[in-house]
Amino acid sequence: MSDQTYLNVFVEEGREHVQRMNTLLLDLENDPENKEPVQELFRSAHTLKGMSATMGFETMADLTHELENVLQQVRDGVHPLKDETMDILFQGVDRLEMMVEQAANGEPLADVSDLLSKLRGGEEEKTAVTQQDVSFDGYERELFETSLDNGYYVFLVKVTLSEQCVLKGARAYMVYEALEKTGDVAKAVPSVEDLEEEKFDRTFHFVTITKEEEQHVKRSLEQISELESVDVTALSRDALKQKQGVTAKGDVTAKTVRSAPAHKAKATKSIRVDIERLDALMNLFSEWVIDRGRIEQIAGELNRADLTEVVEHMNRIGSELQETVLNLRMVPVEQVFNRFPRMVRDLAKELNKDVQLEITGADTELDRTVIDEIGDPLVHLLRNALDHGLETPKERREKGKPETGHISLRAFYSGNHAFIEIADDGAGISRDKVLQKALKNGIIDRESADKLGDAQVYDLLFASGFSTAEQVTDVSGRGVGLDVVRTKIESLGGSVSVQSEEGKGTTFSIQLPLTLSILTALLVRTGDETYAIPINAILETGKFDRSEIQKVHGQPVLRFRKRIVPLVPLHEVFSVPQRDGGVHNDSVFVVIVKKGDQLTGLVVDELLGQQEVVLKSLGNYLNQVFAISGATILGDGRVALIVDTNALIQQQEAMAV
């Protein structure tokens, strides 16, 4: 592999380890008594240290080494797991994440000497802790109790070196070797590695399992020079109980974020494939879909049974191939969700709020393109939920609610769409407040305000520059969040809506397409042009008599299911000359498209039929064409533009206000 290939692998795996460490730190913070996250953290830090040293990133290797030291002290019960310890571990992981991205961008790695000093300061603290006690985890306690049952002695040996001792590591090794001659050393505090590197003051402990008497063990050590004192204490069952889980005592403050139990992924065999290769495969398959459509059309024109049979077989194989290729691009939304527990934790601390974040459906898969783009909108919504939605613990107490607020992040499938919901049990949204703000900002007038339903009122939250926050903070309140969220979601072919009940909470619901590359569309004709309308935006199609079309304020409308639906002739939108020179037939074809609760009728000349089309970008020079989201190549080689129905509905909404 080339150096760049090695770097790419390092960056990918580095990101995974950093994300893993963030998740494990949150687990450890939520359950300090469970040492399993510490073991996994230690392994991730150790792997990252080896990888960074191999790549020549010495600063990163030094940082992971110091993190390892702190983690080891936590694991051995030497370093108390306080809030300060968690904060410094989180800071360390943040710096690692920053350095991985700097390595990815070819930038020099940041200086972390300040953080290294903090981490090493933590080491100095261990001496004081070591002098207080040594704790045992469940496995160690079981080992020692079994040894006692089998007639062995378990001794805690405390050794203090003289102040004149120069080679502290060598003396510690001599003690270790002497104990190994009388029995087995089962535990060292600090660790053997730290003893070798002289990362201790003058005192250290060993726990040894032996058949020898206490005095024999002590005499074997007293022969070693430069030892100021040697204390050998026999450990009984009662003593072992007292020494179990010292770090679990109540010196850890209440946690700010409590994540729901993480879903443990099932182990599967997989290989790592460059995304560019998948994109290339997708492009090739897209071309194949276009050619398949062309052959299908030719077969229809020739009307040959053998050719038709081959085309039908191609369609069957093509459907399976399409599903396989599209699935290759599907990625669990967990890749986006993973970073939120940490973000919510930090933000909750900043806002002095107590929050429980519950994540469900993290294994829901979405197209890679959607995954890459959905992160920022979700960050906006979660930050809003924390800042605007949830009350402070004091306010919640006064309202009779639990002090800990609850935010749910949920992903699931429904029909041909994926949904992501962000729900909180906070204060909810005041309908009157939203209306007053909209009137004050001139977003609506009084006459329109009186006619709006709840959903339409809450929809005003997505207007540009709208904010109900009393004051602007670093978190939110500038009114540049929800309009950006809606724009981004709609650019992905999705939609976002909000439901709220004052005093009980708010739910934002995002609807997303499963894939963006190949979509099913209705082909329509207007004039001599063919357009494709995404089938998931269509509510119904129909042929209506012209007498059914009426005009309201000059706008053609149609009564449809007891609703007045504005009509938009496509030939007017795209300035397409009509075949008959504008002479109308007695009836028209209308395609009713929807965006949330909003409906609009697109008037076309002919419905050509449903077809799978490949979405092609118009390129950088034509990316701002109104109401066009892309283009596709039809079976006969002609190009059809794909209609952006959301833009047309949005235009009608703006005209109606």
Side-chain angles (χ1 to χ4, degrees):
M1 287 194 291
S2 66
D3 290 347
Q4 185 60 44
T5 307
Y6 282 120
L7 179 61
N8 291 341
V9 173
F10 167 77
V11 169
E12 285 297 318
E13 294 190 5
R15 285 169 177 160
E16 289 174 7
H17 280 292
V18 167
Q19 180 56 55
R20 180 76 179 141
M21 291 173 76
N22 257 321
T23 304
L24 290 167
L25 280 176
L26 288 170
D27 291 344
L28 179 62
E29 189 177 52
N30 291 331
D31 186 7
E33 295 184 33
N34 182 10
K35 293 299 170 58
E36 186 178 343
V38 181
Q39 297 285 5
E40 294 190 42
L41 273 166
F42 195 84
R43 282 194 286 272
S44 275
H46 192 73
T47 304
L48 198 53
K49 181 174 77 172
M51 289 165 53
S52 51
T54 303
M55 294 297 295
F57 300 128
E58 296 299 335
T59 309
M60 195 182 302
D62 289 344
L63 179 54
T64 48
H65 178 73
E66 296 303 334
L67 286 173
E68 270 187 293
N69 287 337
V70 175
L71 288 169
Q72 187 164 352
Q73 291 155 27
V74 171
R75 183 183 64 184
D76 294 342
V78 176
H79 201 309
L81 191 59
K82 299 177 181 175
D83 269 7
E84 293 77 10
T85 309
M86 291 305 305
D87 287 342
I88 200 170
L89 288 172
F90 275 122
Q91 288 176 32
V93 175
D94 286 344
R95 295 289 184 91
L96 287 176
E97 184 176 15
M98 180 178 68
M99 287 195 283
V100 168
E101 295 308 316
Q102 288 171 333
N105 297 326
E107 300 170 356
L109 301 191
D111 178 26
V112 293
S113 54
D114 59 329
L115 185 57
L116 290 176
S117 298
K118 285 185 183 177
L119 290 165
R120 286 166 183 156
E123 282 181 45
E124 291 169 2
E125 187 182 344
K126 75 183 179 183
T127 303
V129 177
T130 302
Q131 290 170 351
Q132 292 172 4
D133 210 341
V134 175
S135 66
F136 304 137
D137 58 28
Y139 170 78
E140 290 168 339
R141 181 185 164 192
E142 186 177 346
L143 171 67
F144 299 152
E145 287 179 346
T146 304
S147 301
L148 291 172
D149 291 342
N150 292 328
Y152 287 85
Y153 297 107
V154 179
F155 294 123
L156 174 63
V157 181
K158 177 182 178 183
V159 179
T160 302
L161 302 179
S162 68
E163 293 183 359
Q164 293 74 31
C165 180
V166 179
L167 300 175
K168 296 191 298 181
R171 292 299 166 192
Y173 177 73
M174 292 173 70
V175 172
Y176 178 88
E177 192 175 44
L179 291 174
E180 280 285 292
K181 289 180 179 176
T182 60
D184 293 321
V185 176
K187 186 180 179 72
V189 180
S191 67
V192 174
E193 291 81 4
D194 284 348
L195 289 173
E196 289 175 352
E197 295 176 16
E198 299 188 353
K199 291 182 177 178
F200 64 102
D201 187 13
R202 290 195 296 135
T203 301
F204 53 89
H205 295 76
F206 287 116
V207 178
T208 181
I209 301 173
T210 178
K211 283 280 187 181
E212 302 295 340
E213 298 280 346
E214 179 179 333
Q215 289 302 319
H216 179 83
V217 174
K218 191 169 185 178
R219 278 198 301 273
S220 68
L221 300 181
E222 287 174 344
Q223 297 171 7
I224 302 171
S225 60
E226 294 186 322
L227 302 187
E228 183 177 287
S229 65
V230 174
D231 296 324
V232 179
T233 307
L235 295 177
S236 63
R237 284 182 171 276
D238 291 340
L240 289 172
K241 287 180 182 175
Q242 292 171 3
K243 289 178 179 296
Q244 184 177 19
V246 169
T247 55
K249 290 180 180 176
D251 55 353
V252 180
T253 57
K255 298 299 163 289
T256 307
V257 175
R258 303 173 184 85
S259 297
H263 170 72
K264 296 217 180 249
K266 184 175 63 176
T268 56
K269 291 182 179 179
S270 61
I271 59 171
R272 193 183 298 271
V273 179
D274 194 318
I275 186 66
E276 291 182 0
R277 294 191 181 187
L278 286 182
D279 288 341
L281 177 62
M282 192 67 200
N283 287 333
L284 289 172
F285 178 72
S286 300
E287 296 298 326
W288 183 87
V289 170
I290 293 170
D291 290 340
R292 182 187 65 178
R294 191 163 188 175
I295 293 173
E296 196 173 356
Q297 184 170 342
I298 294 171
E301 292 170 359
L302 295 178
N303 196 24
R304 282 181 50 180
D306 54 346
L307 185 55
T308 302
E309 186 179 344
V310 172
V311 169
E312 288 176 353
H313 181 70
M314 281 181 65
N315 284 337
R316 287 196 297 273
I317 299 296
S319 297
E320 294 179 13
L321 183 60
Q322 176 177 330
E323 186 177 351
T324 303
V325 172
L326 290 178
N327 282 339
L328 287 176
R329 289 180 55 86
M330 301 296 273
V331 180
V333 76
E334 179 183 24
Q335 291 195 8
V336 181
F337 285 5
N338 274 345
R339 60 174 151 144
F340 294 142
R342 173 67 196 285
M343 184 199 78
V344 170
R345 170 199 181 270
D346 292 348
L347 191 57
K349 275 199 164 188
E350 184 183 332
L351 298 171
N352 291 320
K353 293 182 178 178
D354 201 2
V355 184
Q356 180 184 27
L357 175 65
E358 181 183 10
I359 294 178
T360 53
D363 54 351
T364 304
E365 293 186 332
L366 289 171
D367 188 276
R368 174 67 188 226
T369 307
V370 178
I371 291 288
D372 290 342
E373 300 292 332
I374 197 65
D376 287 344
L378 293 180
V379 167
H380 272 295
L381 294 177
L382 283 170
R383 291 171 72 89
N384 274 350
L386 262 168
D387 194 21
H388 298 319
L390 294 183
E391 310 93 333
T392 63
K394 181 184 175 187
E395 290 170 337
R396 293 180 67 87
R397 271 198 311 274
E398 291 171 352
K399 292 179 179 179
K401 291 182 175 181
E403 288 189 14
T404 301
H406 184 269
I407 295 178
S408 166
L409 180 59
R410 174 174 172 241
F412 58 97
Y413 296 120
S414 180
N416 292 323
H417 293 87
F419 288 82
I420 299 177
E421 285 184 355
I422 300 100
D424 68 71
D425 66 345
I429 301 171
S430 167
R431 186 183 189 279
D432 294 338
K433 199 172 176 181
V434 173
L435 268 181
Q436 292 305 319
K437 198 75 176 183
L439 287 167
K440 181 181 177 183
N441 292 351
I443 296 174
I444 56 169
D445 55 34
R446 171 56 64 184
E447 185 182 354
S448 303
D450 295 337
K451 298 176 183 175
L452 296 180
D454 288 350
Q456 292 168 307
V457 171
Y458 294 138
D459 207 49
L460 294 170
L461 294 167
F462 296 98
S464 178
F466 190 94
S467 175
T468 58
E470 297 295 343
Q471 58 183 354
V472 174
T473 68
D474 292 337
V475 180
S476 56
R478 296 182 186 278
V480 288
L482 292 181
D483 60 326
V484 176
V485 168
R486 167 166 282 183
T487 303
K488 175 62 77 177
I489 298 298
E490 289 179 351
S491 72
L492 296 171
S495 62
V496 57
S497 60
V498 56
Q499 292 180 321
S500 183
E501 188 171 352
E502 195 167 357
K504 292 191 175 179
T506 304
T507 300
F508 284 87
S509 181
I510 298 173
Q511 175 181 319
L512 292 164
L514 294 180
T515 181
L516 299 180
S517 302
I518 297 178
L519 50 92
T520 305
L522 174 67
L523 298 183
V524 299
R525 181 184 65 78
T526 182
D528 288 330
E529 300 293 335
T530 300
Y531 291 90
I533 303 174
I535 207 80
N536 57 14
I538 298 174
L539 180 64
E540 193 166 319
T541 61
K543 191 174 184 180
F544 296 88
D545 195 275
R546 281 194 179 276
S547 62
E548 297 181 65
I549 299 176
Q550 301 173 346
K551 287 204 171 181
V552 176
H553 301 297
Q555 165 78 45
V557 298
L558 179 72
R559 183 175 289 277
F560 174 77
R561 293 184 185 174
K562 300 181 180 179
R563 293 181 60 175
I564 301 299
V565 177
L567 295 181
V568 178
L570 270 195
H571 71 273
E572 290 183 7
V573 175
F574 301 122
S575 303
V576 180
Q578 291 187 283
R579 283 182 178 176
D580 55 7
V583 177
H584 301 300
N585 297 321
D586 292 336
S587 57
V588 293
F589 289 99
V590 177
V591 181
I592 306 292
V593 293
K594 60 183 170 61
K595 176 190 165 204
D597 293 332
Q598 303 300 314
L599 301 180
T600 293
L602 306 182
V603 181
V604 300
D605 294 340
E606 187 179 0
L607 305 178
L608 301 177
Q610 184 175 314
Q611 184 175 321
E612 284 184 342
V613 299
V614 179
L615 178 63
K616 296 283 187 181
S617 167
L618 295 179
N620 294 331
Y621 294 108
L622 296 175
N623 60 359
Q624 296 296 328
V625 179
F626 172 70
I628 295 297
S629 59
T632 187
I633 301 173
L634 302 177
D636 58 4
R638 291 185 299 137
V639 173
L641 296 175
I642 299 173
V643 179
D644 181 359
T645 56
N646 284 337
L648 292 174
I649 297 174
Q650 211 163 0
Q651 184 191 47
Q652 293 302 309
E653 287 177 356
M655 291 170 62
V657 175

mmCIF file of all heavy atoms in Angstrom, residues 262-284:
data_model
loop_
_atom_site.group_PDB
_atom_site.id
_atom_site.type_symbol
_atom_site.label_atom_id
_atom_site.label_comp_id
_atom_site.label_asym_id
_atom_site.label_seq_id
_atom_site.Cartn_x
_atom_site.Cartn_y
_atom_site.Cartn_z
ATOM 1 N N ALA A 262 -26.937 0.841 25.455
ATOM 2 C CA ALA A 262 -26.574 0.800 24.036
ATOM 3 C C ALA A 262 -26.935 -0.549 23.440
ATOM 4 O O ALA A 262 -26.836 -1.582 24.091
ATOM 5 C CB ALA A 262 -25.086 1.056 23.870
ATOM 6 N N HIS A 263 -27.347 -0.504 22.198
ATOM 7 C CA HIS A 263 -27.645 -1.738 21.491
ATOM 8 C C HIS A 263 -26.341 -2.399 21.088
ATOM 9 O O HIS A 263 -25.492 -1.785 20.468
ATOM 10 C CB HIS A 263 -28.463 -1.417 20.242
ATOM 11 C CG HIS A 263 -28.620 -2.592 19.324
ATOM 12 N ND1 HIS A 263 -29.427 -3.647 19.638
ATOM 13 C CD2 HIS A 263 -28.042 -2.865 18.134
ATOM 14 C CE1 HIS A 263 -29.372 -4.529 18.657
ATOM 15 N NE2 HIS A 263 -28.539 -4.074 17.736
ATOM 16 N N LYS A 264 -26.161 -3.636 21.492
ATOM 17 C CA LYS A 264 -24.930 -4.342 21.139
ATOM 18 C C LYS A 264 -25.093 -4.952 19.767
ATOM 19 O O LYS A 264 -25.928 -5.796 19.530
ATOM 20 C CB LYS A 264 -24.640 -5.425 22.172
ATOM 21 C CG LYS A 264 -24.376 -4.821 23.543
ATOM 22 C CD LYS A 264 -23.308 -5.597 24.235
ATOM 23 C CE LYS A 264 -23.041 -4.977 25.601
ATOM 24 N NZ LYS A 264 -21.800 -4.357 25.734
ATOM 25 N N ALA A 265 -24.238 -4.496 18.850
ATOM 26 C CA ALA A 265 -24.345 -4.949 17.480
ATOM 27 C C ALA A 265 -23.927 -6.404 17.357
ATOM 28 O O ALA A 265 -23.030 -6.877 18.048
ATOM 29 C CB ALA A 265 -23.477 -4.083 16.588
ATOM 30 N N LYS A 266 -24.601 -7.111 16.473
ATOM 31 C CA LYS A 266 -24.272 -8.504 16.226
ATOM 32 C C LYS A 266 -22.990 -8.571 15.405
ATOM 33 O O LYS A 266 -22.814 -7.805 14.456
ATOM 34 C CB LYS A 266 -25.432 -9.152 15.470
ATOM 35 C CG LYS A 266 -25.263 -10.618 15.221
ATOM 36 C CD LYS A 266 -26.505 -11.192 14.577
ATOM 37 C CE LYS A 266 -26.780 -10.599 13.241
ATOM 38 N NZ LYS A 266 -27.919 -11.208 12.564
ATOM 39 N N ALA A 267 -22.088 -9.444 15.769
ATOM 40 C CA ALA A 267 -20.825 -9.554 15.055
ATOM 41 C C ALA A 267 -21.067 -10.116 13.657
ATOM 42 O O ALA A 267 -21.733 -11.123 13.485
ATOM 43 C CB ALA A 267 -19.884 -10.467 15.826
ATOM 44 N N THR A 268 -20.581 -9.427 12.648
ATOM 45 C CA THR A 268 -20.731 -9.895 11.279
ATOM 46 C C THR A 268 -19.396 -9.793 10.575
ATOM 47 O O THR A 268 -18.526 -9.023 10.971
ATOM 48 C CB THR A 268 -21.756 -9.043 10.514
ATOM 49 O OG1 THR A 268 -21.338 -7.672 10.587
ATOM 50 C CG2 THR A 268 -23.140 -9.172 11.116
ATOM 51 N N LYS A 269 -19.258 -10.604 9.511
ATOM 52 C CA LYS A 269 -18.046 -10.522 8.724
ATOM 53 C C LYS A 269 -18.190 -9.371 7.745
ATOM 54 O O LYS A 269 -19.217 -9.220 7.089
ATOM 55 C CB LYS A 269 -17.825 -11.831 7.964
ATOM 56 C CG LYS A 269 -17.468 -13.004 8.877
ATOM 57 C CD LYS A 269 -17.216 -14.257 8.066
ATOM 58 C CE LYS A 269 -16.846 -15.416 8.988
ATOM 59 N NZ LYS A 269 -16.617 -16.658 8.222
ATOM 60 N N SER A 270 -17.166 -8.554 7.646
ATOM 61 C CA SER A 270 -17.256 -7.414 6.738
ATOM 62 C C SER A 270 -15.866 -7.045 6.250
ATOM 63 O O SER A 270 -14.853 -7.468 6.810
ATOM 64 C CB SER A 270 -17.891 -6.213 7.446
ATOM 65 O OG SER A 270 -17.088 -5.826 8.542
ATOM 66 N N ILE A 271 -15.838 -6.297 5.168
ATOM 67 C CA ILE A 271 -14.582 -5.760 4.658
ATOM 68 C C ILE A 271 -14.743 -4.258 4.518
ATOM 69 O O ILE A 271 -15.851 -3.750 4.377
ATOM 70 C CB ILE A 271 -14.188 -6.389 3.304
ATOM 71 C CG1 ILE A 271 -15.285 -6.135 2.266
ATOM 72 C CG2 ILE A 271 -13.887 -7.860 3.449
ATOM 73 C CD1 ILE A 271 -14.881 -6.518 0.875
ATOM 74 N N ARG A 272 -13.633 -3.538 4.544
ATOM 75 C CA ARG A 272 -13.668 -2.092 4.412
ATOM 76 C C ARG A 272 -13.469 -1.723 2.942
ATOM 77 O O ARG A 272 -12.497 -2.148 2.312
ATOM 78 C CB ARG A 272 -12.547 -1.486 5.251
ATOM 79 C CG ARG A 272 -12.664 0.008 5.441
ATOM 80 C CD ARG A 272 -11.458 0.479 6.223
ATOM 81 N NE ARG A 272 -11.431 -0.147 7.537
ATOM 82 C CZ ARG A 272 -12.024 0.356 8.601
ATOM 83 N NH1 ARG A 272 -12.696 1.479 8.495
ATOM 84 N NH2 ARG A 272 -11.943 -0.253 9.763
ATOM 85 N N VAL A 273 -14.417 -0.991 2.364
ATOM 86 C CA VAL A 273 -14.358 -0.622 0.952
ATOM 87 C C VAL A 273 -14.370 0.900 0.837
ATOM 88 O O VAL A 273 -15.161 1.561 1.509
ATOM 89 C CB VAL A 273 -15.560 -1.206 0.175
ATOM 90 C CG1 VAL A 273 -15.495 -0.801 -1.294
ATOM 91 C CG2 VAL A 273 -15.582 -2.717 0.301
ATOM 92 N N ASP A 274 -13.477 1.429 0.023
ATOM 93 C CA ASP A 274 -13.432 2.871 -0.200
ATOM 94 C C ASP A 274 -14.769 3.337 -0.767
ATOM 95 O O ASP A 274 -15.299 2.737 -1.698
ATOM 96 C CB ASP A 274 -12.299 3.182 -1.184
ATOM 97 C CG ASP A 274 -11.981 4.667 -1.183
ATOM 98 O OD1 ASP A 274 -12.936 5.459 -1.147
ATOM 99 O OD2 ASP A 274 -10.793 5.015 -1.239
ATOM 100 N N ILE A 275 -15.309 4.451 -0.235
ATOM 101 C CA ILE A 275 -16.603 4.957 -0.678
ATOM 102 C C ILE A 275 -16.569 5.330 -2.158
ATOM 103 O O ILE A 275 -17.573 5.247 -2.870
ATOM 104 C CB ILE A 275 -17.027 6.170 0.197
ATOM 105 C CG1 ILE A 275 -18.437 6.635 -0.145
ATOM 106 C CG2 ILE A 275 -16.057 7.309 0.056
ATOM 107 C CD1 ILE A 275 -19.504 5.640 0.181
ATOM 108 N N GLU A 276 -15.409 5.744 -2.645
ATOM 109 C CA GLU A 276 -15.320 6.118 -4.063
ATOM 110 C C GLU A 276 -15.572 4.908 -4.961
ATOM 111 O O GLU A 276 -16.115 5.039 -6.051
ATOM 112 C CB GLU A 276 -13.953 6.727 -4.352
ATOM 113 C CG GLU A 276 -13.773 8.100 -3.701
ATOM 114 C CD GLU A 276 -12.433 8.710 -4.032
ATOM 115 O OE1 GLU A 276 -11.661 8.069 -4.764
ATOM 116 O OE2 GLU A 276 -12.172 9.826 -3.543
ATOM 117 N N ARG A 277 -15.150 3.721 -4.507
ATOM 118 C CA ARG A 277 -15.417 2.513 -5.302
ATOM 119 C C ARG A 277 -16.914 2.217 -5.350
ATOM 120 O O ARG A 277 -17.447 1.804 -6.374
ATOM 121 C CB ARG A 277 -14.663 1.325 -4.709
ATOM 122 C CG ARG A 277 -13.156 1.451 -4.816
ATOM 123 C CD ARG A 277 -12.490 0.154 -4.454
ATOM 124 N NE ARG A 277 -11.045 0.252 -4.529
ATOM 125 C CZ ARG A 277 -10.226 -0.760 -4.399
ATOM 126 N NH1 ARG A 277 -10.710 -1.969 -4.167
ATOM 127 N NH2 ARG A 277 -8.934 -0.590 -4.473
ATOM 128 N N LEU A 278 -17.581 2.427 -4.209
ATOM 129 C CA LEU A 278 -19.025 2.204 -4.195
ATOM 130 C C LEU A 278 -19.734 3.220 -5.090
ATOM 131 O O LEU A 278 -20.690 2.883 -5.791
ATOM 132 C CB LEU A 278 -19.557 2.321 -2.767
ATOM 133 C CG LEU A 278 -19.239 1.168 -1.826
ATOM 134 C CD1 LEU A 278 -19.863 1.414 -0.467
ATOM 135 C CD2 LEU A 278 -19.735 -0.144 -2.393
ATOM 136 N N ASP A 279 -19.260 4.463 -5.051
ATOM 137 C CA ASP A 279 -19.856 5.487 -5.924
ATOM 138 C C ASP A 279 -19.657 5.122 -7.387
ATOM 139 O O ASP A 279 -20.562 5.315 -8.216
ATOM 140 C CB ASP A 279 -19.234 6.862 -5.629
ATOM 141 C CG ASP A 279 -19.692 7.415 -4.290
ATOM 142 O OD1 ASP A 279 -20.729 6.930 -3.787
ATOM 143 O OD2 ASP A 279 -19.023 8.308 -3.759
ATOM 144 N N ALA A 280 -18.449 4.611 -7.709
ATOM 145 C CA ALA A 280 -18.185 4.214 -9.102
ATOM 146 C C ALA A 280 -19.107 3.063 -9.514
ATOM 147 O O ALA A 280 -19.658 3.050 -10.629
ATOM 148 C CB ALA A 280 -16.718 3.796 -9.245
ATOM 149 N N LEU A 281 -19.293 2.094 -8.599
ATOM 150 C CA LEU A 281 -20.201 0.979 -8.884
ATOM 151 C C LEU A 281 -21.621 1.488 -9.082
ATOM 152 O O LEU A 281 -22.347 1.044 -9.993
ATOM 153 C CB LEU A 281 -20.150 -0.020 -7.725
ATOM 154 C CG LEU A 281 -21.085 -1.223 -7.824
ATOM 155 C CD1 LEU A 281 -20.732 -2.072 -9.051
ATOM 156 C CD2 LEU A 281 -21.008 -2.075 -6.565
ATOM 157 N N MET A 282 -22.022 2.446 -8.241
ATOM 158 C CA MET A 282 -23.370 3.012 -8.357
ATOM 159 C C MET A 282 -23.544 3.730 -9.688
ATOM 160 O O MET A 282 -24.594 3.604 -10.340
ATOM 161 C CB MET A 282 -23.587 4.004 -7.200
ATOM 162 C CG MET A 282 -25.023 4.443 -7.046
ATOM 163 S SD MET A 282 -26.053 3.081 -6.516
ATOM 164 C CE MET A 282 -27.638 3.715 -7.008
ATOM 165 N N ASN A 283 -22.529 4.471 -10.120
ATOM 166 C CA ASN A 283 -22.619 5.176 -11.400
ATOM 167 C C ASN A 283 -22.741 4.200 -12.561
ATOM 168 O O ASN A 283 -23.518 4.417 -13.497
ATOM 169 C CB ASN A 283 -21.393 6.075 -11.590
ATOM 170 C CG ASN A 283 -21.449 7.290 -10.681
ATOM 171 O OD1 ASN A 283 -22.530 7.728 -10.298
ATOM 172 N ND2 ASN A 283 -20.286 7.821 -10.330
ATOM 173 N N LEU A 284 -21.950 3.112 -12.507
ATOM 174 C CA LEU A 284 -22.029 2.104 -13.565
ATOM 175 C C LEU A 284 -23.416 1.467 -13.603
ATOM 176 O O LEU A 284 -23.985 1.243 -14.680
ATOM 177 C CB LEU A 284 -20.960 1.030 -13.347
ATOM 178 C CG LEU A 284 -19.523 1.471 -13.611
ATOM 179 C CD1 LEU A 284 -18.547 0.374 -13.177
ATOM 180 C CD2 LEU A 284 -19.330 1.775 -15.095
#
